[in-house]
Amino acid sequence: QVQLVESGGGLVQAGGSLTLSCVVSGRTFTGYGVPMAWFRQAPGKEREFAAALTRTGIGDQTWYADSVKGRFSTSRENDKNTLYLRMDNLKPEDTAVYYCAARSRPISGSLRTENEYDYWGQGTQVTVSS
């Protein structure tokens, strides 16, 4: 059984930092072009793309939403089967439930689209106070 379990959320002041972790069990998602991603859902809003990475011939390639580019960084440790999201200079508008997601095969559409992903974690709450 595949499981994605996020942790690391919490309450932080604006300008602060947090690092989220997503531990994967049951299989790996390290194949070429197989994406892992972070999405987030703010209160009263739809879930939106935040960051993603895939394996390429020269290492992991990353993508970011414009709203988090330059402040968030995603990476992984394959030997720990863990995906990370480092979040710096947090803003109140970053307040959301953050979800880890993975696709079981190479991406064929847009990795910014949640329907492309087969597996999801339960989410971890991040709250940024002003």
Side-chain angles (χ1 to χ4, degrees), residues 18-35:
L18 281 175
T19 297
L20 307 183
S21 299
C22 172
V23 177
V24 179
S25 61
R27 65 162 288 173
T28 61
F29 299 95
T30 57
Y32 288 102
V34 175

Side-chain angles (χ1 to χ4, degrees), residues 33-35 39 49 52 54 63 103 105-118:
V34 175
F39 286 77
F49 171 78
T54 66
W63 289 262
R103 179 175 165 91
R105 57 205 180 283
I107 191 73
S108 58
S110 170
L111 49 73
R112 299 171 186 266
T113 303
E114 62 176 288
N115 289 342
E116 293 288 336
Y117 294 88
D118 305 301

Side-chain angles (χ1 to χ4, degrees), residues 1 4 9 11 15 24-25 31 35 39 51-52 54 62 67 70 75 78 81 102 115:
Q1 182 181 359
L4 282 63
L11 174 64
V24 179
S25 61
F39 286 77
T54 66
T62 55
S67 58
S75 62
N78 290 335
N81 222 10
N115 289 342

